[in-house]
Amino acid sequence: MPVSRLGLLAGALTFLALPTVGTAQAPRRPATPLQLATRALVEGRYSEIDALTDKLDQKDPNVAALRARALIARGKYEDAEALLRPVAAKAPTSEAALQLGLLDKMLGRDATQMLGRVSTLSDTSDDPIEVARAARALRGLGRFQEANAAYRDATTAAPINPEIQSAWGELFLEKYNKTDALKSFQMALQIDQKYAPAMLGAAETLADENPPQAVMFAKRALEVNPSYVDADVFLAEQAADADKHDEARDYVKKALEVNPRSLEAHSLLAALAYVEDNTAEYESEIAKATAINPSYGEAYRVVAERAAHKYRFDEAVTLARKGISIDPKNARAYADLGMDLMRTGDEEAARAAIAKSFDLDNFDDKVRNNLEVVLDKLEKFTTVRDGDLIVRMDKDEAPVLAEYAIPLAHKALETFSKRYEFTPKGPFLIEIFPKHDDFAVRNLGLPGAIGALGICFGRVVSLDSPHARPPGEFQWEATLWHELAHVVTLQMSNMRVPRWLTEGLSEYEETRAHPEWRRDMDTDFAGMLNRHEDIKLKDLNAAFQNPKLIGVAYYQGSLLVEYMVKTFGDRGINSLLRGYGQGLDTDAALKQALNTTMAAMQTGFDQMLEQKFGDMRRAMAIPEGVTDLLKTPVDQLKMLADQHPKSFPIQLVLGRALRKAGDLDGAMQAFERAAALVPGAAGKDNPHEEMAGIALQKKDDARFIAELTTVVRVDPNNVGAARQLVGALRKANPDDGAKLLPVYQQIAEIDPFDAEAHTYLGRHALQQNDAESAAREFRAVIALGPVDRAAAYTDLAESYFKSGKRVEAKKQTLAALEIAPTYERAQELLLKLVDR
């Protein structure tokens, strides 16, 4: 996939954030005491600042502001206020006044007048430092457009001031403009490679796109400033996201050692306690935060966000509303509330919350997208209710999808309820989006911001429709089955199951239902085993937070569940899920339910991997000393193939080289050897697809059919190959139903909008006297607007006639005759209906 602009900037930042030992130049002139004190502040040497400024004028607003910032960084808010207030009174537009206004705002007081006076500098001063001060005040007042203009003026006049550049980046970040934020942080770091606030700003900007790189930047910031509370809190949040709560608590503890009254630290501790079901600690930490700032609803929002991260959306709704009740101007809390309400299925209330968020802050593209793109479009969807199921689909797709999605959903829920001995609570809302960007916005607020095919929130499931991606790119039925497995495992565990287990179970359930639904990663994973790149079980849950590892995390999760089912049985899995539902962590749940640990399972799991992938892994290995096969001449490839007959890559590359050179027989032999070494190779490494191509070139129809049959078997999403196979089979014997039927079934499952497949399946069902199935297929054909509409209506009429639905049969027959009055088959059916 193409590298994003944000990714390119991040790459540049990586270089800038590296240690600069030995490269810094000595200053051209001695630094002033105020400059030394400012540097000490940036580096977290707060206790040195008083001594560094001791001989300076204590009534100087810049001196007072610097000393106060050191006090604020350590939570000494009253001391900072006492220092700032008299100075600010005499210098109402000074740095001291700005810091006092920001302190008042942080503590929940009205800072409008104080910050308002400072903001006037944007119109009255030409000094870039004063204009930047005004920009910070304007940001504090929520006047973001004016703040942006002021920062632009300030950076134009003082382009090499890292503090101004970084502060501008923080404004961009607050207003969701990550690209410009990263540019500003990059500029700050070009000026001063050890400017810790810019490093942390870069970390916060990259947190969603690249968590590992974000963590690296935050740790760099802590190397410069070991007392950087915001960096510790950020790293605690990242650790919590990866379910490393002990690590998160260590970072929060470090932050509180520096600032025992950090609102952010206490909020995060409250959140960790809440999701750990430690009510006493949760209430204590909330009380500490609200004692500092009685209107600090953000504390509840942080807890709600952490609860939502754990799929506890009903609780997140309650918590977000608590936060809003004490801070009704928190736009982000309304936005989070709206998303959580969507995840519980209350879309009417979600619209109201999201609209309120947009009224308070119209900069958030996620909010705008949810309001304008998803909720507006959902209102126009077709809604089908069937028992506990509420299925919402695009009106143009509904006539076809409803025929297949609803029965499949019922079957999945029945299957899982029986297997897991648990009946989930409904109703269940399923939303199917014909455009992937709309699906992404519905779940994350941004188009293209999600690589998933479907998402489950406990009672709400959303997924891409077959039209959302090119045919054959995914199996939509497998996706729906996967997400409905989540419904059961999430609810059964009281929304406390870790991601490695719920995703592993859903992936495994796909394979259980249809082996062809299995994620196509066998050969890739075998290669990873050779390179020792598989994920250790202790790190599996955290891997779901790493964009580079998430694909293999899903796959390896399913393998782990396969091992656990074989070792402990379904009852063991059910007991483990119930253990999580009791609030146990992974170690305790594994011990109680299975009398094991992750470390103990690692040994058995490794043994299963060797049994399952040993031969494939060895076949996939490239022999030592062999490099750059693609550039190796054909003669040398032949020698390598003779020397290493059990090397799949060598045989595959040789086959392609020989085919390109026109040696079709030699190529076929090489591909045959490759196929024997790794029979399940699919996708780009499927030798059977190459052999089918050679058979076609040689006009060997029997071999062409044989190879395509294997391609479709090992690569079941390859709808192009399936359609080729249908054409070849019909050419060879159009009446060979035994061979045609499974291929047409496969095509219809991958692409339910294929009218030809439904027509064949319907007529086959009629031949088998399965009139109900036939009627379903023919209804789909009519909904798809076939070329021969008269034949389609007659097909449907015949299926109704065979099932005894004479009124419906007559209606469809007349529809056919209205299109083609002389259509003989319809005339004959009408005579039968009238004769009766």
Side-chain angles (χ1 to χ4, degrees):
M1 88 186 260
V3 179
S4 69
R5 192 174 180 186
L6 198 62
L8 289 171
L9 286 169
L13 274 167
T14 302
F15 169 75
L16 290 169
L18 293 174
T20 55
V21 176
T23 63
Q25 293 182 344
R28 295 183 179 180
R29 57 186 179 187
T32 66
L34 194 62
Q35 288 172 328
L36 291 172
T38 301
R39 194 72 211 175
L41 183 74
V42 171
E43 295 177 359
R45 293 180 281 113
Y46 307 128
S47 60
E48 298 178 21
I49 290 174
D50 282 354
L52 289 168
T53 59
D54 187 54
K55 296 181 180 180
L56 300 177
D57 181 1
Q58 302 302 302
K59 295 181 181 180
D60 182 332
N62 292 320
V63 174
L66 196 60
R67 293 168 73 111
R69 289 174 68 184
L71 292 167
I72 292 168
R74 290 172 288 176
K76 299 179 180 181
Y77 304 139
E78 292 80 7
D79 292 345
E81 181 183 359
L83 179 61
L84 290 169
R85 201 163 291 282
V87 180
K90 293 181 178 179
T93 62
S94 66
E95 185 67 24
L98 172 65
Q99 295 304 324
L100 180 58
L102 295 176
L103 176 61
D104 281 341
K105 186 182 181 200
M106 183 188 74
L107 297 176
R109 302 169 185 163
D110 184 6
T112 305
Q113 189 174 28
M114 183 73 66
L115 293 176
R117 285 195 289 262
V118 178
S119 72
T120 61
L121 290 170
S122 65
D123 296 322
T124 61
S125 178
D126 293 326
D127 183 338
I129 301 300
E130 292 188 340
V131 174
R133 186 186 308 148
R136 185 63 189 88
L138 288 163
R139 177 185 164 198
L141 291 166
R143 292 157 58 183
F144 301 110
Q145 299 283 16
E146 296 171 73
N148 183 50
Y151 274 127
R152 186 183 297 110
D153 291 343
T155 55
T156 299
I160 58 170
N161 185 310
E163 184 174 4
I164 297 176
Q165 292 285 358
S166 189
W168 198 9
E170 290 167 6
L171 171 69
F172 283 129
L173 185 58
E174 183 180 348
K175 294 296 103 185
Y176 314 101
N177 183 346
K178 292 185 177 181
T179 300
D180 285 337
L182 209 55
K183 283 182 182 178
S184 292
F185 297 133
Q186 180 185 35
M187 184 63 70
L189 289 171
Q190 284 177 343
I191 299 163
D192 181 350
Q193 295 187 20
K194 292 188 176 183
Y195 194 67
M199 293 179 185
L200 180 59
E204 292 170 335
T205 307
L206 295 168
D208 292 333
E209 181 174 285
N210 193 333
Q213 193 173 24
V215 166
M216 181 272 291
F217 276 113
K219 288 182 176 179
R220 295 284 187 198
L222 280 174
E223 290 175 9
V224 173
N225 178 356
S227 299
Y228 203 169
V229 169
D230 291 347
D232 280 316
V233 171
F234 174 83
L235 289 169
E237 291 169 343
Q238 296 301 299
D241 284 347
D243 286 333
K244 297 179 179 179
H245 283 203
D246 290 342
E247 182 180 329
R249 286 180 175 278
D250 287 343
Y251 278 118
V252 175
K253 180 181 178 183
K254 186 169 174 285
L256 289 172
E257 286 173 355
V258 177
N259 181 358
R261 301 173 73 192
S262 165
L263 289 166
E264 294 79 10
H266 286 299
S267 298
L268 185 52
L269 267 187
L272 292 170
Y274 184 89
V275 296
E276 292 169 356
D277 299 310
N278 187 337
T279 304
E281 185 185 7
Y282 154 69
E283 291 177 347
S284 172
E285 294 300 328
I286 286 287
K288 289 174 184 176
T290 53
I292 298 166
N293 178 351
S295 61
Y296 194 65
E298 179 69 5
Y300 286 105
R301 191 204 64 78
V302 170
V303 180
E305 183 178 52
R306 189 60 44 196
H309 183 79
K310 294 289 189 178
Y311 287 78
R312 291 157 67 173
F313 301 110
D314 290 310
E315 297 167 56
V317 166
T318 300
L319 289 160
R321 283 177 167 151
K322 277 188 180 180
I324 288 168
S325 69
I326 63 173
D327 182 9
K329 293 185 179 181
N330 190 329
R332 190 174 174 191
Y334 278 108
D336 287 358
L337 173 62
M339 289 298 291
D340 292 332
L341 286 165
M342 288 180 69
R343 291 161 177 170
T344 62
D346 190 349
E347 288 172 348
E348 183 178 350
R351 174 180 286 279
I354 292 170
K356 180 64 175 177
S357 176
F358 190 71
D359 287 342
L360 291 168
D361 181 0
N362 59 14
F363 285 89
D364 191 343
D365 286 340
K366 291 182 180 180
V367 173
R368 180 185 296 105
N369 289 335
N370 269 312
L371 199 58
E372 296 178 357
V373 177
V374 174
L375 290 172
D376 285 348
K377 289 190 177 182
L378 283 172
E379 284 186 348
K380 300 171 185 175
F381 270 25
T382 294
T383 300
V384 179
R385 298 175 184 270
D386 188 14
D388 265 354
L389 287 180
I390 303 169
V391 184
R392 308 187 74 183
M393 300 157 283
D394 180 85
K395 62 182 177 62
D396 294 330
E397 294 188 341
V400 175
L401 284 183
E403 295 282 1
Y404 303 94
I406 293 172
L408 182 68
H410 280 304
K411 182 180 179 181
L413 290 170
E414 290 166 7
T415 300
F416 300 140
S417 296
K418 182 178 180 180
R419 180 171 294 146
Y420 291 91
E421 302 173 307
F422 177 82
T423 302
K425 179 183 177 182
F428 311 103
L429 173 63
I430 299 172
E431 293 176 342
I432 306 176
F433 291 86
K435 293 183 179 178
H436 177 71
D437 279 351
D438 290 348
F439 163 73
V441 168
R442 193 258 186 259
N443 294 293
L444 290 182
L446 292 175
I450 186 172
L453 303 165
I455 289 185
C456 172
F457 299 110
R459 295 192 304 275
V460 176
V461 165
S462 64
L463 68 152
D464 278 342
S465 91
H467 273 152
R469 308 217 179 201
E473 190 168 302
F474 83 115
Q475 226 297 353
W476 75 276
E477 290 184 328
T479 301
L480 180 56
W481 192 269
H482 176 115
E483 300 308 330
L484 289 170
H486 281 312
V487 168
V488 174
T489 58
L490 287 170
Q491 289 198 29
M492 186 175 176
S493 65
N494 289 326
M495 315 301 280
R496 286 160 171 78
V497 60
R499 196 167 176 191
W500 69 266
L501 182 56
T502 187
E503 296 294 0
L505 284 167
S506 285
E507 290 278 312
Y508 181 65
E509 290 294 356
E510 288 185 52
T511 306
R512 253 183 176 176
H514 292 276
E516 66 271 17
W517 285 354
R518 180 183 180 86
R519 187 176 287 256
D520 176 22
M521 280 192 64
D522 286 2
T523 54
D524 288 342
F525 188 69
M528 294 180 72
L529 288 172
N530 283 330
R531 298 187 298 273
H532 305 291
E533 293 174 357
D534 54 308
I535 304 166
K536 296 303 176 186
L537 298 188
K538 64 182 178 63
D539 300 321
L540 183 56
N541 211 57
F544 283 94
Q545 297 300 124
N546 187 336
K548 295 180 180 179
L549 295 177
I550 190 168
V552 71
Y554 271 90
Y555 181 77
Q556 199 166 320
S558 71
L559 292 175
L560 176 57
V561 167
E562 180 183 343
Y563 164 77
M564 293 172 70
V565 170
K566 287 180 179 177
T567 306
F568 305 106
D570 287 334
R571 289 291 178 89
I573 297 294
N574 295 352
S575 178
L576 180 60
L577 288 168
R578 284 190 286 270
Y580 282 115
Q582 296 166 10
L584 301 179
D585 63 16
T586 291
D587 289 341
L590 286 171
K591 181 66 177 176
Q592 174 183 285
L594 308 177
N595 193 30
T596 189
T597 64
M598 276 291 190
M601 285 199 298
Q602 183 73 63
T603 301
F605 181 63
D606 289 342
Q607 291 172 351
M608 186 196 82
L609 292 183
E610 180 56 30
Q611 292 172 1
K612 194 176 186 74
F613 292 97
D615 290 342
M616 184 186 297
R617 178 178 61 77
R618 285 182 282 275
M620 292 298 296
I622 296 177
E624 188 174 346
V626 175
T627 59
D628 209 351
L629 283 172
L630 296 178
K631 294 183 179 179
T632 303
V634 173
D635 290 341
Q636 193 172 340
L637 281 172
K638 288 179 179 178
M639 292 176 57
L640 286 171
D642 289 338
Q643 294 167 4
H644 305 285
K646 293 187 177 181
S647 171
F648 176 85
I650 290 176
Q651 301 297 339
L652 189 66
V653 173
L654 173 61
R656 287 171 177 163
L658 290 172
R659 185 181 177 188
K660 186 176 180 180
D663 183 357
L664 299 185
D665 291 336
M668 187 70 87
Q669 292 173 4
F671 288 132
E672 286 172 344
R673 291 192 294 270
L677 289 167
V678 184
K684 66 182 187 302
D685 293 330
N686 190 339
H688 291 284
E689 196 154 17
E690 298 276 5
M691 289 190 280
I694 292 173
L696 186 63
Q697 285 178 265
K698 298 176 72 174
K699 296 182 171 33
D700 185 345
D701 293 343
R703 184 65 184 268
F704 180 58
I705 289 172
E707 295 302 336
L708 277 182
T709 300
T710 305
V711 170
V712 170
R713 177 175 55 80
V714 301
D715 194 359
N717 286 346
N718 192 336
V719 72
R723 286 176 174 142
Q724 275 188 298
L725 179 56
V726 157
L729 288 170
R730 291 187 77 101
K731 179 183 175 183
N733 182 0
D735 298 322
D736 192 349
K739 291 181 179 178
L740 283 166
L741 178 64
V743 187
Y744 271 122
Q745 287 174 330
Q746 195 162 330
I747 292 170
E749 288 169 1
I750 299 168
D751 182 6
F753 303 109
D754 188 306
E756 179 187 333
H758 289 301
T759 300
Y760 183 89
L761 294 174
R763 290 176 179 171
H764 181 273
L766 265 185
Q767 291 172 5
Q768 302 301 311
N769 292 316
D770 185 356
E772 292 296 330
S773 295
R776 182 179 71 166
E777 300 298 337
F778 293 139
R779 284 194 298 267
V781 173
I782 291 171
L784 291 167
V787 175
D788 192 345
R789 294 171 61 225
Y793 279 110
T794 305
D795 285 337
L796 181 56
E798 288 177 345
S799 68
Y800 283 147
F801 179 71
K802 187 162 279 192
S803 62
K805 298 177 180 178
R806 298 180 61 80
V807 174
E808 292 90 338
K810 185 176 180 180
K811 179 181 176 181
Q812 302 304 324
T813 304
L814 291 173
L817 289 170
E818 186 176 346
I819 296 166
T822 60
Y823 188 48
E824 188 173 341
R825 190 157 60 99
Q827 288 177 335
E828 291 175 357
L829 181 57
L830 183 60
L831 286 173
K832 292 179 184 178
L833 289 163
V834 172
D835 180 61
R836 177 68 63 91

